[in-house]
Amino acid sequence: MRSNIKLGKIHGIEIGLHYSWFIIAALIVFSLGEHFRQVNANWGMGLIWTAAVVTAALFFFTLLLHELAHSLVAQSRGLKVNEITLFALGGVSQVQDDATDAKTEFWVAIAGPIASLIIGFGCLAIAPHLGWQGSTKPHTAVSGVLFWLGYINVGLAVFNLIPGFPLDGGRVFRAIVWAITKNADRATRIAARVGQVVAFLFILDGIWQFSHGAGFGGLWIAFIGWFLMDAAKASYAEAGITASLRDMRVSEVMTHDCVTVNRGMSLQEFVDTYLLRGGERCFAVEDQGHFVGLITPRDVGRIPRDRWDSTTVRDAMRPLEELHIVTPDTPVLDALKLVASNDVNQLPVIANGALQGVVSRSQLVHLLQVRSELQLPAAYHPPPKDNVREMRSRHDSTSREDSESVHGAGSWRL
Ligand SMILES: [Zn+2]
């Protein structure tokens, strides 16, 4: 969930809106306007719609406070928060890293509902002093707004405390299971399964209500259930992957076979000599023995064909400064996150200032596929290799004379 409209930053956290937010905002304004009109016949049209718009705006603000509570607690426990996005079904705080302990998970998850409960009961406590006289009697505009704001926030807290992962309540539940079992991945799987059951009940309830005349409200509940079901399924699958890769390092999956290409070579020559022969996917560009960048078929594809003769490898390559670099000790999970979040195909693996090889998106995907095809238990790990092997090259066997630009990568220095 990415925001389409940026509203600014609070405490280093980007605040944004998704377009779908406007659907729910319009819905809130119209249903509130309708309600105010029915209960308070003495209010003028101007006051009714002003009160509806102000209530919706304040609801937006309190929803933001709910998300900020999650985010600020996450920050205080050392997690990095990138963004808060408000959308049709509420808000999402994008916390970059997963909580490293059950306690952190618990407090981050429960902070939002606690904030909503405080806001909700606060509004409900103040409303009677400003002229609220029960839900069916006329009251002042300010008390009407406060009452509904209080009601919506208590509702928001209660809804979020339902133990359906990935709702807040599901995360609290996961944290408790985590604390008991001492196993984060297992806790996620259990919480995600319970989340699927809860989501299924939502869908059933929505359909039941719809068939008994609840109309749009019933469909809405079913829709929320469908959304939760999807999220719980994804969380379950992700937990399996995370568990199986947790202890693996980049050194265990990276390719050592890289071909060196001279930076001054034309793209045409590069395509004819390397890309259309041999099956290598890793081409390191060097300048006087120094590793300066990577070039992939994708980079060549960006240059129009009629310019291949006049363009050098250096002009088309991805320079070292723009590459995301990993070390042989980087966890595979972190490499996977880097590849996914930056949409890159290859990550150079660097140790002691020298290129050791690359780890590619296709290798990582292959690894995941093989694990799922073999149905290996999450706990299965191949025995570790002795250590990071010296960089080999398939071209080592060719004679040195004709391989000036084709040799092992062990000699590249940064
Ligand atoms: Zn929340």
Side-chain angles (χ1 to χ4, degrees):
M1 186 60 62
R2 290 254 154 199
S3 52
N4 307 112
I5 301 167
K6 310 270 180 215
L7 298 179
K9 272 189 175 184
I10 299 177
H11 233 254
I13 305 162
E14 192 92 51
I15 311 292
L17 282 185
H18 185 259
Y19 289 139
S20 62
W21 161 257
F22 292 101
I23 301 172
I24 202 69
L27 217 66
I28 289 172
V29 169
F30 284 112
S31 57
L32 267 177
E34 191 58 32
H35 173 81
F36 286 151
R37 208 160 58 93
Q38 279 173 12
V39 180
N40 306 286
N42 56 330
W43 293 8
M45 272 315 215
L47 184 58
I48 285 170
W49 292 109
T50 308
V53 169
V54 167
T55 311
L58 286 174
F59 173 56
F60 162 82
F61 182 67
T62 55
L63 196 60
L64 187 59
L65 289 178
H66 173 111
E67 291 307 322
L68 270 176
H70 285 306
S71 295
L72 295 180
V73 171
Q75 276 186 342
S76 77
R77 302 203 58 115
L79 301 174
K80 196 175 174 313
V81 183
N82 295 328
E83 198 176 336
I84 289 175
T85 305
L86 299 175
F87 73 117
L89 299 178
V92 205
S93 301
Q94 267 150 23
V95 183
Q96 186 167 297
D97 308 297
D98 293 329
T100 47
D101 59 292
K103 227 183 195 171
T104 299
E105 170 91 346
F106 179 84
W107 287 114
V108 170
I110 207 152
I114 288 178
S116 294
L117 278 180
I118 293 172
I119 296 165
F121 283 121
C123 290
L124 290 178
I126 299 169
H129 300 287
L130 297 169
W132 178 261
Q133 303 166 358
S135 61
T136 52
K137 297 207 181 80
H139 23 69
T140 64
V142 176
S143 73
V145 168
L146 270 181
F147 178 81
W148 282 104
L149 212 53
Y151 173 79
I152 286 172
N153 271 284
V154 172
L156 187 73
V158 170
F159 171 75
N160 270 293
L161 282 172
I162 293 170
F165 193 81
L167 286 177
D168 295 338
R171 293 184 186 277
V172 169
F173 174 66
R174 173 180 178 251
I176 294 168
V177 177
W178 184 359
I180 294 168
T181 61
K182 311 264 181 262
N183 185 330
D185 301 317
R186 208 170 139 214
T188 310
R189 282 200 296 273
I190 293 171
R193 276 284 184 252
V194 173
Q196 277 172 282
V197 173
V198 170
F200 186 66
L201 293 177
F202 263 91
I203 296 173
L204 280 187
D205 181 54
I207 294 171
W208 193 85
Q209 292 211 23
F210 181 70
S211 63
H212 285 72
F216 181 76
L219 280 186
W220 189 246
I221 293 170
F223 176 68
I224 288 175
W226 172 76
F227 176 82
L228 287 178
M229 177 71 84
D230 225 38
K233 266 188 198 161
S235 306
Y236 188 87
E238 201 188 304
I241 290 170
T242 308
S244 67
L245 298 184
R246 193 173 286 290
D247 299 323
M248 286 190 97
R249 305 280 150 180
V250 158
S251 60
E252 295 173 61
V253 296
M254 70 188 201
T255 301
H256 299 268
D257 299 321
C258 273
V259 177
T260 317
V261 181
N262 198 299
R263 68 183 187 129
M265 181 181 278
S266 75
L267 282 188
Q268 188 63 56
E269 199 184 343
F270 170 63
V271 170
D272 292 342
T273 318
Y274 297 103
L275 283 190
L276 297 180
R277 306 215 178 127
E280 293 88 357
R281 294 285 297 181
C282 165
F283 302 95
V285 183
E286 67 149 43
D287 177 19
Q288 296 168 352
H290 292 274
F291 169 65
V292 292
L294 282 181
I295 184 159
T296 63
R298 205 186 189 184
D299 301 321
V300 177
R302 266 193 278 270
I303 311 284
R305 245 187 93 180
D306 56 344
R307 284 175 44 205
W308 284 3
D309 257 327
S310 56
T311 308
T312 62
V313 161
R314 184 184 54 182
D315 295 330
M317 74 177 188
R318 228 166 259 264
L320 184 61
E321 311 84 71
E322 288 175 21
L323 295 169
H324 298 274
I325 289 167
V326 293
T327 70
D329 287 331
T330 304
V332 166
L333 277 177
D334 291 356
L336 206 57
K337 272 187 203 156
L338 263 181
V339 163
S341 59
N342 298 292
D343 190 32
V344 291
N345 280 329
Q346 292 182 327
L347 300 171
V349 185
I350 309 262
N352 304 321
L355 183 76
Q356 305 293 315
V358 295
V359 57
S360 67
R361 178 192 289 262
S362 54
Q363 277 167 308
L364 295 171
V365 171
H366 175 76
L367 182 73
L368 296 178
Q369 272 171 349
V370 169
R371 284 203 81 106
S372 83
E373 270 167 28
L374 297 180
Q375 297 192 325
L376 292 175
Y380 180 83
H381 290 291
K385 292 176 184 171
D386 319 338
N387 46 39
V388 180
R389 278 176 297 168
E390 279 298 299
M391 189 81 180
R392 287 178 297 107
S393 167
R394 252 172 261 174
H395 297 267
D396 276 354
S397 54
T398 60
S399 69
R400 280 287 162 198
E401 289 83 58
D402 58 73
S403 64
E404 275 171 11
S405 61
V406 184
H407 56 71
S411 59
W412 293 325
R413 310 297 300 187
L414 295 177

